[in-house]
Amino acid sequence: MIIKTYEDNGTTVIAPEGKIDHVTVQEFEAKIDELGAENDSLTIDMANVEYVCSAALRAILKADLMLEGKGGLVLKNVNQKVMEILNITGFSSHLDIR
């Protein structure tokens, strides 16, 4: 997995590529924790994410809670496979997905 970061209109964007699974989730969570502590809002660009494991969902939920009451967390460009996982787990009704 590769994790790119960039700024888009004053918002920090995390753009992982590949699978976020039990092998890569620690790196993903560390990047979210690092940037979430430094910013009031984050966007996770999921355009190039093929799969998310339950630990990745936990990291996303943790980020959402960390940024609650601030600028918030946004997921964007979620593909159909990942969206199915978010729907099945009920995460899609709690997260800001664009």
Side-chain angles (χ1 to χ4, degrees):
M1 179 182 68
I2 298 169
I3 301 176
K4 296 178 182 178
T5 59
Y6 59 92
E7 293 290 319
D8 184 24
N9 292 323
T11 299
T12 299
V13 179
I14 300 170
E17 296 179 11
K19 295 179 181 179
I20 307 173
D21 58 18
H22 69 283
V23 175
T24 60
V25 72
Q26 289 180 331
E27 179 184 0
F28 177 66
E29 187 169 14
K31 184 59 75 175
I32 289 174
D33 289 346
E34 171 193 339
L35 295 175
E38 298 172 359
N39 295 278
D40 288 338
S41 63
L42 286 177
T43 296
I44 302 176
D45 186 344
M46 305 288 283
N48 296 307
V49 174
E50 302 164 20
Y51 170 81
V52 292
C53 69
S54 60
L57 295 176
R58 187 193 77 225
I60 291 168
L61 181 59
K62 180 179 165 187
D64 189 51
L65 293 172
M66 178 181 10
L67 297 168
E68 190 174 32
K70 298 179 181 181
L73 176 73
V74 172
L75 297 182
K76 72 176 188 176
N77 300 320
V78 179
N79 68 40
Q80 185 177 359
K81 282 184 177 181
V82 174
M83 194 65 196
E84 286 176 17
I85 294 168
L86 294 172
N87 286 332
I88 289 168
T89 59
F91 276 58
S92 59
S93 62
H94 298 288
L95 296 172
D96 185 355
I97 302 172
R98 301 180 189 175

